[in-house]
Amino acid sequence: MTLLARTFQGFNQWVLREVSEQCFEPITPRPQALSPLFKLDDEFLHIGEQWPFLLHFLYDAKAHWIEQHAQPLISGIWLEDCQGKEIALEASALYVDGESLLIVHEIERKYGETAYRLQSSRDHLLVEEELEREVARRTRQIIAREEQISLCLLAAAGCRDEETGAHIRRIGLYSAVMAEALGWGIDQVDHIRMAAPMHDIGKIGIPDYILQKPGALENDERSLMETHAAIGASMLSDTGIEMMDMARDIAQCHHERWDGSGYPKGLRGEEIPIAARITAIVDIYDALVHKRVYKPAYSEEKTYDIMSSMSGSHLDPRLFELFQQNLAQIQAIRQQVQD
Amino acid sequence: MIQKKICLLGAFSVGKTSLIKRYVDSIFEEKYLTTVGVKIDKKLVEIERQKVMMMIWDLAGEDDFCKLQVSYLRGASGYILVGDPTRPHTLDRLFCLHKKAQKNIGNIPAIIALNKHDLCNQWSLSFAHREELEELQQPILNTSAKTGDQVQSLFIDLATQMLSN
């Protein structure tokens, strides 16, 4: 046995020469580890369907040999069942001194190392994923709890006028539908769902005789009533919380109008924060389709007609168009969220 | 006897090997053992009075560092895309692998296994994922290698599709 042959055998490598289609002649002795797996037929190895992976590799090996590449083409690791045990193998194809060579390696050690490395990294990734899921789950719980507390407080504040808990929840949900339709990210959608219900929080600072007055307000009373926007904005300022900043903008600007005729600042068009423009639309819708002390509940048709006449003057026309496109979802919320 | 090659594709730890073990050997092991390289199992089935030898190629799951060697798909008559809805990002990998398979071996029969159905209370598929799954226009089965639920159907339905293709 040549030194080279012994070396190959020592590394559990078996070198074969292609003699014809799928037929190979060993040129080094078959390593012990491969003996039970590969039986020779008249001193030749015929690679057929019994070794589907190797047969598959021969297709690529053929092209490699035709192009006479001396550098090896590696098959990648595969496993064969042998006497109830799995054997890890790898094959290489190369062209040397006019011969098409196939080397079959038994790679127990390499396989063990690769498997250990891969298993460790994937176990680590799975633990990371699990932790991320747990953080996300708990964050959702915290957000839901905060939202619930905020809705309870808003409902309590709303007891002084006719704002009901359901109205407050609906405003948040309608606004979230609009934000989703605008393609906002999930965080921003969450923010507006929580921020929009706070639009009238400043009414807490308005005296009862104005807030609960059944008839029309006098000019001075109206001026006082309009301060609820500034009061709300002031209450929601300087928290350092992104969602609360959005709530502040909404409280301050939800009575601004697209044409600049609103209050408190007379902002026009896109000077008005978009969250406030959205809230203005859904607040008007909800007020129109529900009964108030000064009006009955209007039908969807009448509401639509009134709001259409406000589009472009009071309401942002582009957002109103989006509102119309998503009206089915808005109406579903209206039906589902009742007092 | 007809011989057909099928491949199982998916992200790592979605249960490809477990589905094969359940189908071929009727066993399930709880512990996750990553697949390295390729393991081919055989199963003889009879479909519409035809004996079919299914050559089931279990390919190592994909992650960012370990990519599918597309040459392994050559000669496949069908493939199973496996996702784990308890880990929704595995669906993104499933969509990528479907595209990769279509690009390399064309439109051959495929079937989607949403695995770990025994943990369906922990599934968190987004609306977008559900829409994207529907857009693939491939049969979808909710499988569980643990309970064996729908595993037989998964392989038989694919084999039936392959025979009629």
Side-chain angles (χ1 to χ4, degrees):
Chain A
M1 189 190 291
T2 65
L3 178 63
L4 190 62
R6 253 192 243 123
T7 306
F8 275 113
Q9 200 176 17
F11 284 111
N12 280 339
Q13 297 187 353
W14 191 22
V15 186
L16 305 111
R17 168 199 303 128
E18 187 193 35
V19 289
S20 64
E21 190 75 16
Q22 298 178 24
C23 180
F24 293 82
E25 179 190 13
I27 55 174
T28 64
R30 184 177 39 183
Q32 193 68 35
L34 299 181
S35 298
L37 193 60
F38 294 102
K39 305 287 182 204
L40 294 180
D41 181 12
D42 292 334
E43 304 297 316
F44 292 100
L45 178 71
H46 295 273
I47 298 177
E49 295 295 346
Q50 71 272 43
W51 298 298
F53 184 89
L54 203 48
L55 190 60
H56 185 273
F57 176 61
L58 281 188
Y59 181 90
D60 298 314
K62 271 238 174 288
H64 199 70
W65 289 326
I66 289 167
E67 288 169 16
Q68 303 189 353
H69 290 299
Q71 74 274 25
L73 172 75
I74 313 282
S75 68
I77 297 171
W78 89 97
L79 297 167
E80 292 283 354
D81 279 325
C82 179
Q83 297 171 344
K85 204 180 139 199
E86 280 184 345
I87 299 184
L89 300 164
E90 198 164 58
S92 313
L94 66 163
Y95 191 85
V96 180
D97 294 336
E99 306 236 58
S100 301
L101 301 182
L102 176 70
I103 305 175
V104 181
H105 324 231
E106 193 273 335
I107 51 158
E108 188 181 357
R109 192 165 161 187
K110 179 182 172 184
Y111 175 79
E113 286 167 2
T114 309
Y116 177 77
R117 205 176 49 244
L118 205 56
Q119 183 78 43
S120 304
S121 73
R122 287 180 168 179
D123 282 345
H124 181 73
L125 281 172
L126 288 172
V127 170
E128 260 183 20
E129 282 180 15
E130 180 60 38
L131 288 174
E132 278 171 18
R133 277 198 299 275
E134 186 59 21
V135 168
R137 191 180 66 81
R138 293 196 182 200
T139 306
R140 278 197 304 275
Q141 275 179 351
I142 292 168
I143 290 172
R145 201 165 55 207
E146 282 176 351
E147 195 171 352
Q148 209 50 46
I149 292 169
S150 129
L151 287 172
C152 286
L153 292 174
L154 287 166
C159 280
R160 292 179 58 239
D161 60 7
E162 58 179 339
E163 302 280 349
T164 64
H167 165 76
I168 287 163
R169 274 203 303 281
R170 283 193 300 267
I171 296 302
L173 294 170
Y174 297 151
S175 300
V177 168
M178 293 286 284
E180 275 176 7
L182 283 165
W184 288 13
I186 192 160
D187 286 351
Q188 292 297 303
V189 173
D190 280 346
H191 287 171
I192 199 167
R193 195 182 63 248
M194 288 190 270
M198 301 185 206
H199 63 287
D200 270 340
I201 197 167
K203 283 185 179 172
I204 208 163
I206 304 299
D208 282 353
Y209 77 91
I210 295 176
L211 205 59
Q212 293 165 5
K213 185 173 177 179
L217 297 177
E218 300 299 328
N219 282 346
D220 57 335
E221 291 171 334
R222 181 172 299 283
S223 298
L224 200 54
M225 182 65 159
E226 288 180 358
T227 61
H228 83 273
I231 295 169
S234 162
M235 287 168 66
L236 300 167
S237 289
D238 302 326
T239 60
I241 301 168
E242 203 183 331
M243 184 275 289
M244 295 295 274
D245 289 345
M246 186 189 275
R248 176 204 57 210
D249 289 347
I250 292 172
Q252 181 147 37
C253 301
H254 71 284
H255 285 292
E256 299 287 3
R257 295 184 177 190
W258 184 252
D259 61 5
S261 65
Y263 67 89
K265 292 184 178 168
L267 299 178
R268 65 170 61 233
E270 293 186 357
E271 288 172 351
I272 308 164
I274 188 165
R277 281 180 271 146
I278 290 171
T279 308
I281 292 174
V282 299
D283 188 34
I284 289 170
Y285 167 79
D286 203 65
L288 290 174
V289 294
H290 288 93
K291 186 175 173 292
R292 292 285 186 268
V293 283
Y294 54 86
K295 63 168 262 307
Y298 293 158
S299 68
E300 288 281 343
E301 292 73 26
K302 185 169 181 181
T303 299
Y304 175 78
D305 289 344
I306 294 170
M307 290 182 77
S308 292
S309 69
M310 297 165 91
S311 177
S313 53
H314 188 143
L315 306 176
D316 176 341
R318 192 177 60 90
L319 286 178
F320 181 62
E321 204 180 313
L322 194 72
F323 173 81
Q324 289 171 279
Q325 287 162 7
N326 291 277
L327 197 52
Q329 254 184 289
I330 302 272
Q331 286 168 343
I333 292 167
R334 182 195 158 195
Q335 296 302 324
Q336 284 161 14
V337 184
Q338 299 282 336
D339 281 312
Chain B
M1 182 173 54
I2 307 167
Q3 190 162 291
K4 296 279 182 189
K5 171 179 172 178
I6 67 169
C7 296
L8 272 86
L9 311 176
F12 74 92
S13 192
V14 293
K16 298 179 292 299
T17 305
S18 296
L19 284 168
I20 297 171
K21 276 196 188 298
R22 165 62 69 186
Y23 180 58
V24 176
D25 304 318
S26 302
I27 55 170
F28 174 77
E29 283 163 29
E30 194 79 50
K31 185 170 164 41
Y32 167 61
L33 283 175
T34 190
T35 303
V36 179
V38 178
K39 171 87 199 304
I40 303 169
D41 279 285
K42 297 172 191 173
K43 174 103 174 173
L44 183 66
V45 290
E46 193 170 322
I47 292 161
E48 290 161 7
R49 292 188 209 148
Q50 280 184 295
K51 281 193 165 40
V52 182
M53 177 61 84
M54 294 175 74
M55 309 291 289
I56 307 168
W57 285 50
D58 182 12
L59 306 178
E62 263 209 354
D63 63 22
D64 290 341
F65 309 104
C66 178
K67 297 289 177 194
L68 170 73
Q69 207 167 311
V70 287
S71 69
Y72 292 161
L73 301 176
R74 195 178 55 236
S77 303
Y79 56 94
I80 296 173
L81 293 158
V82 188
D84 170 5
T86 69
R87 294 159 60 223
H89 65 91
T90 64
L91 273 292
D92 298 323
R93 185 73 65 179
L94 182 153
F95 300 131
C96 287
L97 286 167
H98 182 53
K99 279 188 195 134
K100 211 184 252 189
Q102 280 194 315
K103 190 177 163 197
N104 285 278
I105 48 176
N107 276 320
I108 61 167
I111 194 160
I112 295 163
L114 298 180
N115 198 29
K116 307 192 187 176
H117 193 236
D118 50 292
L119 302 176
C120 62
N121 59 336
Q122 292 172 37
W123 281 21
S124 51
L125 280 183
S126 65
F127 181 70
H129 275 141
R130 286 184 193 283
E131 272 195 328
E132 207 169 340
L133 279 169
E134 272 178 32
E135 280 166 18
L136 295 183
Q137 295 188 318
Q138 303 291 351
I140 300 173
L141 288 179
N142 297 335
T143 58
S144 167
K146 187 172 183 174
T147 63
D149 198 19
Q150 296 273 53
V151 176
Q152 191 85 4
S153 306
L154 179 68
F155 288 91
I156 297 298
D157 288 2
L158 181 64
T160 310
Q161 269 194 73
M162 291 186 312
L163 286 180
S164 59
N165 194 31

